Amino acid sequence: MPAPSYFEKEGVMELSWEIILMQVIMGLALGAIYVLLASGLSIIFGLLDVLNFAHGTFYMLGAYAMFTAISLCGNFWVGLVAAVVIVSLIGALFEMTLLKRLYGTDQIYPLLLCFGLGIFIPDIVKMIFGLIGKVVDYPSMLQGASFVGNLILPKYRIFLVVLMALVLLALYLFMKKTSIGMIIRAATRDRLMVNCLGINVSRVWTVGFMLGIGLAALAGAVAAPMVQTIPNMGDEMTVEAFVVVVIGGLGSLGGAALGGLILGQVVSFVSLLAPDWSNVSIFLTMALILVLRPRGLFGEEGRD
Amino acid sequence: MSAKQNTQEVTAYKPYSWQAILEFRAMWVLLALGLVLPFVISKPLATEIMIYALFALAFNLMLGHTGIISFGHAGYLGAGAYAGAMVVYYGGVGVWVSLLAAMAGGTVIAVLIGLLAVKRKGAYFAMISLAIAQMLYFLALSPFKRWTDGEDSLKLPPLSVDFPFHIDLSDQLSLYYFVFVIVALAVLVQWRILSSPFGHALKGIRENEDRIRACGFNITRIKFLSIVYSGLFSGLAGGLLAIYLGAASITILFWMTSGIVVMQTVLGGTHTFMGPFIGTAVFLYLRNAISNYTDRWEMWVGAMFMALILLFPEGIWGTVMQKIGERRRPSAS
């Protein structure tokens, strides 16, 4: 996803500190979306050992659910909650009816099933909503920008960064402090042992899958006002979420967070300085990290 | 052999086992069918089937025979197509040199991905290969636009071969047989590779990597070679594709190409040699037939692919081999 740049002027551009700071904020907001998306992917992989090739598809569904809910009830916040809940339930339905049958087989089959879903669903969305992009408005209280001296602070992007921080904090507390979080962490380490303790692991997997899908849907829902909501908007995001978790280390939440923030800054600054290279820079960053630290920044030894 | 066999053992073929003999015969039958294919279905479709069948076989060197999940094969095919097309467009060389350049192009990308990711397993390799292929797509799309023409594909003049005798490649039938001969040779070379001790080491890695390592094989080197061979043949397919399309187009590099080759291979059967060939023929024929009736091709292919994974994960040819194996089992053991 190209970062929106306010400074796409012709000719010479002066790099003042305001512009740099501005671009940092842009990068943080973009990074926030990457973080939400990639942490969901990472949870699903860590717990279920399934590489969710349909992750971007659920991101897209989040944006469309947001659009539908807002056009029905007219409120941004109700829409946001409704979008996350509806898409998580779709995810749970998929997990319980189809994905569950493939646990215990070769790693490739669940991956391919998700891939098939990622081809199937965008076409359904095309059929229902058409090819033309949908517009989701910014909520009225977050429109425009506030000014601090010469510095422009776009409210919605600040909101994204705060939201990401809150979600990460909630996720951390959920994983560390609640009993279900503890079970999820234990099942990530050793599912057989957790099963032996008399815990219904199959239900834990459903919860974990829902959680991951919910994060993808949240990312899509909050990204909807900033990007064009089209049926294929998720395809590139799947790949970019992969890049984030490769950089951060698969299965590590901290890695997903750091990787997402790094990638946000890279995209933001490259699209300011060399717009042609903004898409390529994502993958070059990944290649560089792989050369320097093959298992990713926070990757654990042996979990490759 | 223990009485309780799992499906893996049934489908994995051993030297001179009944599976290998059956595959060997199936290969000759399919190649013989290939001789008359352009008279059964349209000539462009027949040509496309041959090219993509070579691509799927090359892809399956990694997925089916070595057990490496690659989602970056669009990169190999596209690198082959662009390398082949660019030497013709800028260098004005002949078709044979173009095909050599295409093989080199695919190999270079394979070496690149191999160096970065050969030690990564499963899902990690899938993600890294997909990312590198996407990088090539975006490179060709905008920073290298000057050389690749970006979204306007790099168009080739009408081509012909002068050595060993004159073949006019703008004639559809001559083009088909030109492609067919090259694909058939490549299939035979791949068969030879897979029947060699190296080929059996690949299968060993797929079945049990730790055991093969314990036997003293250099896993990394064997896997790397498998990636390179796959890139080489994919590059060749890319070169043929550029000649067939008369252009190197950016859509070849798009990730969907990688997805389609995965689907074709799984449809035919990953744990077999000729499965990808059969899968490609069925897939492309169906796509051609269904797209006459509906625009919703992706929806149907997505749904059918999910059903395939859930119900027949061994694919068409793999399931046939499995059935034959079940019938043979009482007498074989």
Side-chain angles (χ1 to χ4, degrees):
Chain A
M1 190 168 73
S5 169
Y6 283 173
F7 304 99
E8 282 174 11
K9 288 183 205 150
E10 295 289 321
V12 190
M13 181 171 44
E14 281 181 40
L15 269 182
S16 63
W17 67 272
E18 282 106 339
I19 294 182
I20 291 176
L21 207 62
M22 182 74 202
Q23 218 60 27
V24 169
I25 293 170
M26 291 294 190
L28 274 175
L30 182 62
I33 290 173
Y34 285 144
V35 170
L36 293 175
L37 198 65
S39 51
L41 188 73
S42 208
I43 288 175
I44 294 176
F45 186 83
L47 188 64
L48 286 77
D49 207 23
V50 170
L51 180 59
N52 184 12
F53 252 81
H55 211 62
T57 305
F58 286 107
Y59 164 89
M60 178 273 294
L61 279 181
Y64 271 94
M66 179 85 170
F67 166 78
T68 314
I70 288 184
S71 43
L72 287 178
C73 73
N75 185 305
F76 182 87
W77 306 105
V78 177
L80 192 62
V81 174
V84 173
V85 171
I86 291 168
V87 178
S88 310
L89 289 176
I90 296 175
L93 187 71
F94 169 67
E95 198 268 352
M96 287 194 288
T97 53
L98 301 176
L99 195 58
K100 191 154 274 184
R101 292 159 195 267
L102 293 175
Y103 294 157
T105 58
D106 198 339
Q107 202 185 28
I108 186 150
Y109 294 116
L111 185 158
L112 290 177
L113 186 78
C114 293
F115 178 75
L117 189 78
I119 294 178
F120 177 69
I121 288 196
D123 222 30
I124 301 271
V125 171
K126 262 180 224 168
M127 204 160 72
I128 299 172
F129 293 94
L131 276 170
I132 300 156
K134 301 290 179 194
V135 180
V136 175
D137 289 323
Y138 289 105
S140 51
M141 63 186 285
L142 294 176
Q143 273 168 356
S146 27
F147 294 88
V148 179
N150 278 338
L151 197 62
I152 313 163
L153 295 174
K155 284 183 191 163
Y156 192 73
R157 287 175 171 77
I158 303 284
F159 156 72
L160 279 187
V161 179
V162 174
L163 179 79
M164 173 206 64
L166 287 177
V167 168
L168 278 183
L169 183 69
L171 211 55
Y172 176 80
L173 292 176
F174 173 75
M175 288 291 190
K176 294 279 173 189
K177 301 288 177 192
T178 66
S179 58
I180 178 103
M182 194 143 64
I183 294 170
I184 288 182
R185 279 188 296 134
T188 306
R189 294 257 167 204
D190 191 339
R191 61 193 70 169
L192 188 66
M193 207 57 187
V194 173
N195 215 356
C196 289
L197 290 172
I199 291 160
N200 187 346
V201 173
S202 139
R203 197 163 300 154
V204 175
W205 281 347
T206 308
V207 171
F209 193 78
M210 267 180 82
L211 185 66
I213 296 302
L215 286 168
L218 180 64
V222 292
M226 300 197 301
V227 298
Q228 213 192 1
T229 306
I230 52 169
N232 285 328
M233 68 190 275
D235 297 349
E236 276 176 32
M237 289 312 273
T238 305
V239 187
E240 287 170 25
F242 288 174
V243 171
V244 172
V245 295
V246 169
I247 290 177
L250 197 48
S252 148
L253 271 182
L258 187 61
L261 292 177
I262 290 177
L263 211 60
Q265 295 304 326
V266 168
V267 173
S268 175
F269 276 95
V270 176
S271 39
L272 175 74
L273 303 170
D276 267 3
W277 288 84
S278 70
N279 279 316
V280 179
S281 66
I282 299 170
F283 306 110
L284 286 178
T285 312
M286 183 199 76
L288 186 72
I289 300 266
L290 278 176
V291 171
L292 296 178
R293 195 176 159 83
R295 63 195 137 102
L297 295 174
F298 287 7
E300 289 168 49
E301 197 75 68
R303 264 210 83 117
D304 51 2
Chain B
M1 196 175 286
S2 69
K4 196 179 156 198
Q5 280 179 310
N6 61 28
T7 50
Q8 292 274 310
E9 273 178 87
V10 175
T11 48
Y13 55 83
K14 300 158 198 79
Y16 314 117
S17 64
W18 64 267
Q19 287 101 332
I21 295 166
L22 186 65
E23 293 265 24
F24 192 65
R25 287 180 187 156
M27 179 176 77
W28 285 109
V29 169
L30 281 172
L31 290 180
L33 285 177
L35 278 175
V36 293
L37 192 65
F39 303 104
V40 183
I41 55 178
S42 79
K43 293 178 196 92
L45 180 62
T47 316
E48 208 178 327
I49 286 177
M50 280 299 154
I51 294 170
Y52 277 102
L54 172 60
F55 182 42
L57 281 172
F59 168 76
N60 204 35
L61 277 179
M62 281 170 72
L63 177 66
H65 299 293
T66 322
I68 306 175
I69 312 170
S70 162
F71 259 86
H73 264 65
Y76 305 162
L77 190 75
Y82 272 100
M86 277 159 103
V87 290
V88 173
Y89 192 83
Y90 296 107
V93 298
V95 169
W96 294 114
V97 180
S98 154
L99 288 179
L100 282 179
M103 281 152 81
T107 310
V108 167
I109 302 303
V111 167
L112 184 75
I113 292 185
L115 285 176
L116 271 178
V118 69
K119 288 190 174 166
R120 311 277 94 194
K121 283 177 197 154
Y124 245 114
F125 192 93
M127 294 193 290
I128 293 168
S129 55
L130 176 61
I132 300 289
Q134 276 296 91
M135 179 172 86
L136 291 179
Y137 171 77
F138 285 117
L139 273 177
L141 191 65
S142 79
F144 291 171
K145 204 173 181 174
R146 211 182 314 161
W147 301 289
T148 60
D149 278 4
E151 277 180 338
D152 314 319
S153 41
L154 195 68
K155 292 180 188 63
L156 296 178
L159 294 168
S160 62
V161 180
D162 289 319
F163 178 83
F165 47 83
H166 183 81
I167 308 170
D168 180 15
L169 293 183
S170 48
D171 175 57
Q172 285 183 345
L173 198 62
S174 324
L175 175 65
Y176 174 79
Y177 282 109
F178 175 75
V179 167
F180 172 74
V181 168
I182 291 174
V183 170
L185 286 175
V187 170
L188 291 173
V189 172
Q190 282 191 38
W191 174 266
R192 185 68 195 83
I193 290 174
L194 286 171
S195 322
S196 71
F198 168 74
H200 292 294
L202 293 184
K203 258 150 269 157
I205 290 177
R206 181 191 79 198
E207 297 298 323
N208 192 336
E209 192 174 321
D210 293 333
R211 185 183 281 180
I212 298 297
R213 182 178 290 121
C215 289
F217 287 92
N218 184 343
I219 302 281
T220 309
R221 190 173 148 269
I222 295 173
K223 276 186 169 176
F224 187 77
L225 271 178
S226 154
I227 298 169
V228 169
Y229 278 132
S230 187
L232 181 93
F233 287 111
S234 304
L236 177 62
L240 290 173
L241 192 61
I243 294 171
Y244 159 69
L245 295 171
S249 125
I250 193 84
T251 52
I252 301 175
L253 275 171
F254 195 54
W255 63 270
M256 195 63 183
T257 311
S258 307
I260 284 177
V261 75
V262 173
M263 291 197 275
Q264 288 167 340
T265 306
V266 175
L267 176 62
T270 52
H271 295 128
T272 63
F273 180 71
M274 286 316 276
F277 202 101
I278 297 168
T280 304
V282 173
F283 186 94
L284 290 179
Y285 183 79
L286 279 182
R287 182 169 73 175
N288 209 42
I290 294 178
S291 56
N292 288 337
Y293 298 104
T294 172
D295 297 336
R296 299 268 75 91
W297 154 249
E298 288 184 349
M299 185 179 85
W300 289 110
V301 79
M304 286 194 287
F305 185 64
M306 284 196 284
L308 179 79
I309 292 291
L310 288 164
L311 304 173
F312 300 104
E314 291 295 327
I316 299 171
W317 185 231
T319 308
V320 169
M321 297 248 291
Q322 221 169 21
K323 294 282 177 234
I324 297 174
E326 279 165 16
R327 267 177 46 198
R328 287 176 55 101
R329 200 180 295 172
S331 59
S333 61

